[in-house]
Amino acid sequence: HRDLHSFPTRRSSDLLNAEGKRIGGRMSVKGPYVDSLLIPQFKELIDNYDIDGCWVDGECWALQADYCPEMINAFRAETGIQQIPKSFADPGGYEFNEINRKAFRQYVAHYTDELHRYKPGFQVTSNWAFSSHMPEPVDIDIDFISGDFSHVNSVYSGLFESRCIAPQGKPWDLMAWSFAYNFKTGVPVTKSAVQLKQLAATVISMGGGYQVYFQQNRDASPQPWQFGLMKEVAGFCRERQPFCQNARPVPQVALLYSSENYKKFTRGIYPNSSVNEPLRGMLNLLLNGQNAVEIVMEHHLKGKMSGYPLIVIPECRYLADGFKAELLAYVGNGGNLLVAGTSATALFADALHVEFSDTAAVSTQFLAFGNEMAGINTLFRPVKLKEGATACGFRYPVSDLRFPSSPAASVTSFGKGKIAGVYLDISRKYSETANPVYRNFVNSIARELFTEPVAEVEGSANVVVTVNRLGEKLAVNLINISGEHSNEKVARYDEIPAVGPLTVKIRTEKTPRKLMLQPENIALDFTFSDGIVETTVARLGIHSVIVLD
């Protein structure tokens, strides 16, 4: 420990840039800061105030590549590369980032272990560690995973971040800001109870904890006028606690977050990377089609693929050969794989039974689904379908169904399973426009591959579905995502239009004794035939759970 973190010759903990200059306000994980300041101050707080845990902010997401002598020496010793890369694009840039990541994990492990030894039972987390920012297996003895998600477009942020953290095998929570904040003017706008409840639903429906950050006065005192708001939001969560806490998702759709792709194309250490924008867009596409979706990384899927009826690969550019081989074996043994995007589909050309006739290029085309069309300016890859591949979507050069078309997607059998490809980059574009034609197009392919989901909901596109196990009971969460949450020009809204009636079909092996809508405690009428329960939810406010007993 001391050899790694404590360097007598270092008089400063400042991080050094590629020119060897100090970056003020950025601490080096190889410097004396952790032993001279961080750990001693926590011990002082424990001794004087008997605190029982810490939430350390400004860590993984704030990291920059550190060029201190200790990091450079570690890089040379572990890689054998002598020429130090000045940027990610230089030879050795990937390896240098990996050395920085390893050093960060050692730094967090060091203060975590030291605080655990000093006060057994003391709980430690580092903000955003092992989350979307840090897509890696948990190899540090932190006690929980936590982060504070975006103060704008927070509903989609909550849906995304909760799904990145939930599979990591640790207790977890997410923190919402109680306010939207204009960084240009410095004006905060306190959110309504309705907004904060809607955000809560995105988290607790995945089995996580929910916290809200309320601003204090400069003397650290709370602002009493907000107490009523706090009470109302807390009451909403406590009502749902028996139907959400310790819930475990039932495997349905697995959306791949490739850690390898993230590290290969992300220029920072653990940033909130634009590399993940297609992942976010594909999640929104699938959730808006009422699919129950988990986000899984390679270490979650390896050896466990057969548990998921459908695996979706968004627009990633790289997959390790061994992982790709396991995916194809999964399909060959009866699984279903949906591959989206020009780069990702190129990785599976043989299995898709297609021939790429040209390189991918950006153009404006018109995507057709049913009897509707939608323009889209994105990257397309022309394909020729071989024997066995069937087109399941078309693109046109003009907004007229009478003109010639080209395949936009295809599906084919592969062994005992099926594999489908989408030959355009659609996910990021859905994040920008949320066009229903894009949504219906992608979800029609998903449904062709995955024909019998546990839960099907009809009646509104503004319902997000999560299917969980609560002990031996099945719990179907319904979240109403109506409202202005994705409009960055709206800082606060006081009402969410209710949706309904909703027709809900749930597949189960035996006739349930009863169906309860919770926390309303309403007994739902239902029918049961051929393994399908069918019921109607007359009205969905913000969040309700159908519990099968």
Side-chain angles (χ1 to χ4, degrees), residues 474-516:
L474 194 64
V476 178
N477 286 254
L478 307 174
I479 305 172
N480 179 3
I481 60 167
S482 303
E484 298 279 3
H485 55 84
S486 59
N487 186 345
E488 293 189 7
K489 293 185 178 180
V490 176
R492 173 184 170 127
Y493 51 95
D494 291 341
E495 58 182 305
I496 297 172
V499 296
L502 304 174
T503 299
V504 182
K505 296 179 181 179
I506 304 171
R507 287 179 170 82
T508 182
E509 293 181 355
K510 59 182 181 180
T511 307
R513 188 170 58 88
K514 60 181 177 180
L515 257 66
M516 298 297 297

Side-chain angles (χ1 to χ4, degrees), residues 400-420:
D400 193 327
L401 291 167
R402 298 173 299 173
F403 281 69
S405 64
S406 303
S410 69
V411 63
T412 188
S413 296
F414 185 86
K416 298 178 181 178
K418 290 184 178 181
I419 180 171

Side-chain angles (χ1 to χ4, degrees), residues 256-262 264-265 298 301 305 311-325 327-328 337 339 343-345 347-348:
L256 176 66
Y257 179 164
S258 172
S259 303
E260 297 291 336
N261 185 73
Y262 171 90
K264 199 170 185 66
F265 298 104
E298 284 96 338
L301 269 182
M305 293 182 186
I311 296 175
V312 179
I313 301 177
E315 293 140 28
C316 67
R317 291 179 277 171
Y318 173 80
L319 293 174
D321 289 341
F323 185 72
K324 175 186 166 185
L327 284 167
L328 290 175
L337 182 64
V339 186
S343 295
T345 50
L347 300 174
F348 293 89

